[in-house]
Amino acid sequence: MKSEAVNGNENVNASASANANANANANANGFASGSNRPYLLLTPGPLTTSETVKEAMLRDWCTWDNDYNELVQSIRSRLVHLATNSPEIYTAVLMQGSGTFSVESVIGTVIPRDGKLLVLTNGAYGKRIAQMASVYGIATSVLDFGETEQVRASDVEQRLQEEVDITHVAIVHCETTTGMLNPIADVAAIAKAHGKTVIVDAMSSFGGIPLDVHELQIDYLISSANKCIQGVPGFGFIIARTEALAGCAGQARSLSLDLYDQWSAMEAGGGKWRFTSPTHVVRAFDQALRELELEGGIAARHQRYKANQELLVNGMRSLGFCPLLQSKVQSPFITAFYYPQSIEFSFGELYARLKAAGFVIYPGKISAADTFRIGNIGEVYREDIAKLLQIIEDECFW
């Protein structure tokens, strides 16, 4: 059984390099060579995946089989090594569901009954963390910076001085409401100076921008399979400081989202999940990790995303679309644009025309202005962005 699985992996891996090269040389219609997808997802996730990631889901796996559990253990190890150069200090836990499930597993598990959470918000996803804490009855302090302002470390310092009973600090790294990139290094340093536990929602950033959780003093970092690793939806994961997580037994406010129990079960069972795992999604994620390595790792992927985003912004500016955020706080993952004022504009018509031409974009998510968003992560390359811009210029300008 095991030799069959190994041979199957080798066959998939042998085709991965060729397919990755084909995807990297997208043809003139904006789609990867040999692709049968109806459109390119220019969204913050789920995102467009490679053909080989999709193909990895064609085989069925048993959740009790040693081959599958060894695959889970391999994924956990590789995630920790992607997250830090000090892997001996950290562990990885996989959690069924969307990324939000993984965030909630952290919030509901790691904060003790007498703890207090400081949530830093400047968009919908920070506010969602505060909502989770409220549902669980966790004492919470919210420091809100509006929708278009970056989190300010000086304000965090002041709040921690004012409310000394705060035990945990949570921040969203890339707030995809706008595309804002928050200063997690500065915030974590201040939180640690005050002896606080640091929680980072890196849903839309991990795998797409270099970072080291140990150097940044992050205790819990949360992300999802269907973001910058370029897998498909179905599970999220938590990179946790092992010593911190080991002290969380019995604290969870949920059975299925008990992060400590999920971790201890995977540790004791050699990769076994407590409840039915998304086997096909896990196999696709394994393939996505291999393709991240083939691309050159996180640094290389970050450069591709950054080049995509710069080309997008420059091209959209030339067409009369102004980005919402200043470049110094803009992430390389998704960009919000104001509706143009010089023309009669309909987002619905723009969306429909782009979808018909093979591209799907996102509506805006802030209340202060009319905006829409375009993502550039996933199997997206400069040729795709150039094609998008050409279509907007040729077909979508009124």
Side-chain angles (χ1 to χ4, degrees), residues 42-268:
L42 299 180
T43 65
L47 38 69
T48 295
T49 56
S50 71
E51 296 302 305
T52 40
V53 165
K54 297 178 182 70
E55 289 169 4
M57 294 186 286
L58 296 178
R59 174 179 174 177
D60 298 322
W61 292 74
C62 173
T63 59
W64 284 89
D65 187 78
N66 285 338
D67 291 338
Y68 176 72
N69 290 334
E70 288 173 6
L71 183 68
V72 171
Q73 292 295 75
S74 172
I75 287 172
R76 294 178 64 204
S77 175
R78 282 179 283 166
L79 283 172
V80 171
H81 282 82
L82 283 175
T84 181
N85 289 321
S86 302
E88 69 281 0
I89 301 174
Y90 285 82
T91 187
V93 191
L94 312 186
M95 181 66 69
Q96 297 95 323
S98 70
T100 296
F101 286 51
S102 289
V103 175
E104 187 166 334
S105 76
V106 172
I107 300 303
T109 300
V110 309
I111 303 168
R113 295 298 191 276
D114 59 351
K116 182 176 180 180
L117 175 67
L118 171 61
V119 185
L120 311 176
T121 68
N122 56 355
Y125 298 96
K127 291 179 180 178
R128 186 177 294 176
I129 293 174
Q131 184 180 7
M132 292 172 187
S134 175
V135 167
Y136 283 128
I138 296 170
T140 306
S141 178
V142 177
L143 187 54
D144 185 50
F145 295 87
E147 294 177 315
T148 58
E149 294 293 325
Q150 193 180 48
V151 169
R152 291 183 295 274
S154 58
D155 290 11
V156 178
E157 172 77 45
Q158 182 177 347
R159 180 63 61 91
L160 292 177
Q161 291 176 352
E162 293 170 349
E163 300 182 31
V164 296
D165 56 339
I166 289 170
T167 57
H168 294 66
V169 177
I171 182 173
V172 177
H173 188 196
C174 174
E175 179 53 82
T176 53
T177 302
T178 59
M180 178 80 70
L181 201 62
N182 282 315
I184 57 172
D186 295 340
V187 168
I190 289 170
K192 281 301 176 185
H194 286 267
K196 313 305 180 185
T197 298
V198 176
I199 301 167
V200 174
D201 176 340
M203 202 64 58
S204 295
S205 61
F206 182 75
I209 191 168
L211 59 82
D212 188 308
V213 290
H214 181 58
E215 291 179 2
L216 292 172
Q217 304 181 80
I218 296 170
D219 296 288
Y220 300 93
L221 180 141
I222 312 150
S223 193
S224 182
N226 59 288
K227 297 290 187 173
C228 293
I229 303 294
Q230 298 184 182
V232 299
F235 75 90
F237 54 88
I238 299 91
I239 311 296
R241 188 166 58 83
T242 305
E243 184 179 6
L245 181 56
C248 294
Q251 292 184 171
R253 297 156 175 87
S254 165
L255 173 65
S256 59
L257 296 180
D258 187 331
L259 180 64
Y260 174 86
D261 274 5
Q262 185 88 333
W263 169 69
S264 59
M266 286 184 171
E267 289 289 292

Side-chain angles (χ1 to χ4, degrees), residues 332-347:
F333 311 117
I334 189 167
T335 308
F337 294 95
Y338 286 108
Y339 285 12
Q341 301 299 311
S342 58
I343 58 173
E344 185 177 344
F345 178 78
S346 165
F347 173 74

